[in-house]
Structures are given as structure tokens and as C-alpha cells.
Amino acid sequence: MECPHLEESVRVSTPIQAQTTDIPFRLQCSECATEASPWICMMCGLIGCGRYEKGHALRHHETCDKHCVCMDAKNYAVYCYTCDEFVINDTPTGHCDALRTKLQSLSTQCHQIQKTSIRRRSSSSSEAENDPKKPRKELKKIRPKSSGLRNLGNTCFMSAVLQSLSNIQHFCGYIKQLPSLEDKNNKIRKVITRKQSRNGEDKDILLVEELRKTLIALWEGGKAAISPESLLHVIWKLVPRFRGYQQQDAHEFMRYLLDRLHTELLALLPFTFSSNSNSPFIVPGPKGNSTIVTAIFGGLLQSEVNCLICGMESKKHDPFLDLSLDIPVQYHQSVKATKGKENVDQPICHLAECLAHFTEVEELEETELYMCTGCKKKQRSTKKFWIRRLPNVLCLHLKRFKWATSFRQKLETYIDFPLNNLDMNKYILDMHETRGMTVGSNIYDLAAVIVHHGSGAGSGHYTAYVLNEGQWYHFNDSTVTACDPETVARCKAYILFYIRREIRLPDYLNVNLNGLSSTQRRASTS
């Protein structure tokens, strides 16, 4: 967005805390000295850590009038706390561009000095390292194999969803090994685009192809961050609502992405791809509506409506790709007040309470009277949901945004959620065919979390916590940092991705686990 506060809140074009040690500069928070997520106040040049660290940059804004505009020192994005949005415009004299240029210059100098220093240390310590008597230290990996995603202007909602989905190995592996459909002369592409043309859609657009290329680029690991520009442009063409640089809802984007992939893959499945005949991911399935999307994320709900007058019962089955859970009303008073587990004065809502609330019996309101087939008229009734079939990846969307008069308000309630051993047995229909046949079949472990930072539905910032090779990582657009499980457990989750310990894929979609790492293989077969 174009921020109206730049003229009065932007004065500096260089950080005031560039400290010289063994490298040209070190950007660190002026309060806690952390070098993680440094933000530069563009009014005074002070450096503070981001809100998902200790939030000292935000506190600086809250205590200093007009100090509302700051720049991310890592990816050079400009943010206004007053607007609660990323900024795309600049001052008439170009302060933002000048600060970006200065930071890029300092970063280049830093990397050059670091390389020289590393070479010197390597040559001087090579003899000591080769000493068999000296114990070797195991260095912990601080980066995953995947890259970050550059923010192209409020595209954090897309980045958080893509990073979460890319670390669900069965789903990502399938998409990556699909054949390339980039060639417009490809016979399969012609058939699919012909179907899209009949439906009034742009015949030259295939979302699955752009996603395939993006996931491959993410896992090449050669770059710290890649640009998802091509994928973004395809989404703009397909969905006018997502066009522009306004902040979008990550859950709405995820639902559209999965629905669109499912539709396109339905057209792909009838084909056998000779060029990938050895790939276990490319296997024609039986006739029907199953794809990797529904095989991974698809579950089945059973709703039961009971007439309170005659007792007539009506049952209905509905497929789902995710469950949207209400936060129980008794916890709504903690809007903008709950600070996390450490705040003992605030009640803590548990994920189990949200799940129980979803499956409990409720009486329908007067505006939702049920047309009873026994009474032949609309009557008061009750409704209850059961989970008839659980998915392999259980996606739980916590409904943090609610309408208050004419605007959407965010619930800042902390939800306590388990990192491991989420037992879903108590929420599924009590029938022999829907209960787990083996111990642990309905036990889930957390794989990823999407977090919304900020106060409004149409503003703020999205990041993702993802488990990769047994290590948790925080994906903040182009920045990827390792973190501990405690940090993940303290976040205010918006979307949770849980993976079933025993993934059950249909035979025609079953993934050959030989290509997966040992950690991934255990997660898929434990």
C-alpha cells in the first residue's frame, strides 16, 4: 500500500548502530542485542528486533511519537505500524531507496570480509582439525534444504502457505515429479487447456505447472531465497480478488490453491506418462474424483440434524480439506490481552476444547430452522458434526477473525496445542469401519504452523513454523532461521498442519519411500 506517513516519519537513510568489529558492521537490536530480525526505525535509525522475536521495534514505535515506519534490514521491506501494512511508495527525496542501497553495500562488504576471515581460519586450523587426538564437535544444521521466498509486496500469505505445503513430503514429492507441462505443444497440456477453455477459463494457464516449478526451485537449495513471481502472476490471472498488493487471508488462499490443484489434477490422472513411467508418483487412478489433494488432505464429515418436535433425524456426508474451528466464547474476552503461556492471569484455551466445541450438539437459531420431512414444515432442531473419516494431513484453521459491527476483529487468544500425540479418536464417529484398525492410526504429530502477526484481517504479516528433518524452522519470507520447539509452542497459531503417524494412501497414489530421507521415511511408516 501507499503509506501517508512517510513524509513525517522518515528522516534517515543509514542505520546509526553499524558497529565495527571483525566485520564491517553488525546489525543488532539496541535492547536485547539479538541479530535476528533487525528492523531500522526510519525516523531515528534505531535498530530493534521484530515482533516475532521480542518485539523491541514495535515497542519503540509505541513509546515514540511518529516513529512508525521501519525497514527490515535483511530483505529491505518497509513497514508502517500505524497502517499495519507493508509500504510500496517512497519519500520525494528517496529515503527508502537510499537506505536499501546503503544496506546492500554494507552487506557486500560484510560477505567479502567474512570469506577472507573464513579462509584464514581454515588454513590456520587445518592442522589442529586433522589431529586424531582432538575430539570433533558435531555442528548442528541451522538451515533446511529448502530456500526462503522473497516478499513481492504483501505476499507473505502465499509464502507461509507454500512453505507449509512444501514440507509435507508425500504431497510435495508428488507435485515435483509430475511431468513438465510448460511446452504448449504438449499433448496432455492441450487436452487440459481445451477443457478449461470450454469452462470459460484462460486456456494458457496451469497452476499445477507453476507450483511444480516453484517447489523444485525451493528444494534445489542453491539460493537463500527464490522469487515466486511467475506463480503469483498465474494466481492474479486466475483469481481477480488476489490481484494487487493488498494483504490476503492465508486460509482463503490455501483453500483456493488446493481446490484448483484438485481440479487440474483430475484432468491429469487419466494419462500415463511414458517419459516418467518409472515414477511412483505418476500412476493413473481409477475413475472417480480422487487426486493427491484429496488423498492427503481429504476427510469426511457426517452431520446429524434432529427435529425437536417429532424427533426425525437427518444425516448428511460432506467432504472436507480442512476444519475451521471456533474459539469458545468464554475465551473471547482475551482479545488483544492474552500474551501467551507466561500470562497466568488469562485463561488458556486448549485445542481439545476447540475440537470438542466443533463436535458438540448445538441448537440451530431461529434464522436456521430445519425443514422437517416428518412435520412437513420448518421446526426447531439440533445439529451435531462427527468426523466420519480422518485425512492423512489434518489441517485445522482457528477462526481468529470475527465480525464486530462493520469490521473484522482479531481474537488474540492463545491456543495451547500439542506438538506431538494429538489423539483424534474421541472426535470420530463410533463405528467399526471408521475407527482405527491399528494402534496409533488416528494419532497425529504437528508438521507446520502458520501464524498471523498484527491486529487486522486485511493487514499484518504471516510467517510459518515448519518441522524439517527433526528440526523446527521459522520461515519469514526470505529469512529462514532455526528455532526450538518451545518457541513453536508459544506462537498464536492460525493454521495447524498435523500429519497422521500412519499415512494411508490409495494404492494408485502410494509413494515409493526409497527416495525419502530416513527421518521422512520413519514419519511415514511409524
Side-chain angles (χ1 to χ4, degrees), residues 159-172:
S159 298
V161 171
L162 291 177
Q163 294 290 9
S164 299
L165 295 180
S166 74
N167 279 273
I168 297 174
Q169 299 301 327
H170 287 80
F171 174 79
C172 181

Side-chain angles (χ1 to χ4, degrees), residues 215-274:
L215 292 179
I216 289 174
L218 269 178
W219 285 95
E220 284 179 345
K223 299 179 180 179
I226 66 168
S227 175
E229 188 173 0
S230 297
L231 179 61
L232 178 64
H233 287 166
V234 166
I235 292 168
W236 281 2
K237 290 179 181 179
L238 291 172
V239 192
R241 183 165 52 86
F242 288 138
R243 291 175 188 169
Y245 297 98
Q246 302 90 349
Q247 182 63 278
Q248 302 290 345
D249 185 273
H251 176 248
E252 292 179 6
F253 171 74
M254 182 194 73
R255 282 304 313 268
Y256 170 78
L257 179 67
L258 293 178
D259 287 341
R260 176 73 186 197
L261 288 174
H262 174 63
T263 300
E264 292 187 3
L265 287 171
L266 280 178
L268 274 172
L269 284 179
F271 296 93
T272 303
F273 309 110
S274 58

Side-chain angles (χ1 to χ4, degrees), residues 171 175 178 181 191-193 195-197 199 201 205-208 238 255-271 288-294 321:
F171 174 79
I175 299 297
L178 286 171
L181 299 175
V191 173
I192 298 171
T193 54
K195 291 182 179 180
Q196 292 177 347
S197 181
N199 294 332
E201 302 174 5
I205 298 177
L206 280 180
L207 180 60
V208 66
L238 291 172
R255 282 304 313 268
Y256 170 78
L257 179 67
L258 293 178
D259 287 341
R260 176 73 186 197
L261 288 174
H262 174 63
T263 300
E264 292 187 3
L265 287 171
L266 280 178
L268 274 172
L269 284 179
F271 296 93
N289 295 322
S290 179
T291 66
I292 190 66
V293 174
T294 53
L321 296 178

Side-chain angles (χ1 to χ4, degrees), residues 276-288:
N276 291 274
S277 58
N278 294 325
S279 173
F281 297 90
I282 316 298
V283 181
K287 293 181 179 180

Side-chain angles (χ1 to χ4, degrees), residues 183-199:
D183 183 5
K184 292 186 179 181
N185 294 320
N186 185 293
K187 292 182 180 179
I188 302 170
R189 182 186 180 106
K190 285 183 177 180
V191 173
I192 298 171
T193 54
R194 195 180 301 126
K195 291 182 179 180
Q196 292 177 347
S197 181
R198 287 199 297 266
N199 294 332

Side-chain angles (χ1 to χ4, degrees), residues 83-140:
C83 297
D84 201 11
E85 282 279 12
F86 282 94
V87 178
I88 62 173
N89 56 319
D90 201 347
T91 63
T93 53
H95 283 82
C96 296
D97 280 343
L99 181 54
R100 289 190 184 101
T101 301
K102 181 65 175 178
L103 289 172
Q104 288 170 349
S105 175
L106 291 173
S107 179
T108 300
Q109 296 175 34
C110 172
H111 291 156
Q112 290 174 345
I113 297 298
Q114 282 181 323
K115 286 180 181 179
T116 303
S117 177
I118 289 172
R119 283 197 296 266
R120 288 174 180 172
R121 288 198 298 266
S122 178
S123 60
S124 63
S125 61
S126 59
E127 184 177 344
E129 289 178 356
N130 292 327
D131 186 353
K133 296 181 181 179
K134 185 176 180 179
R136 295 176 179 269
K137 290 184 178 180
E138 292 291 333
L139 296 178
K140 190 175 183 180

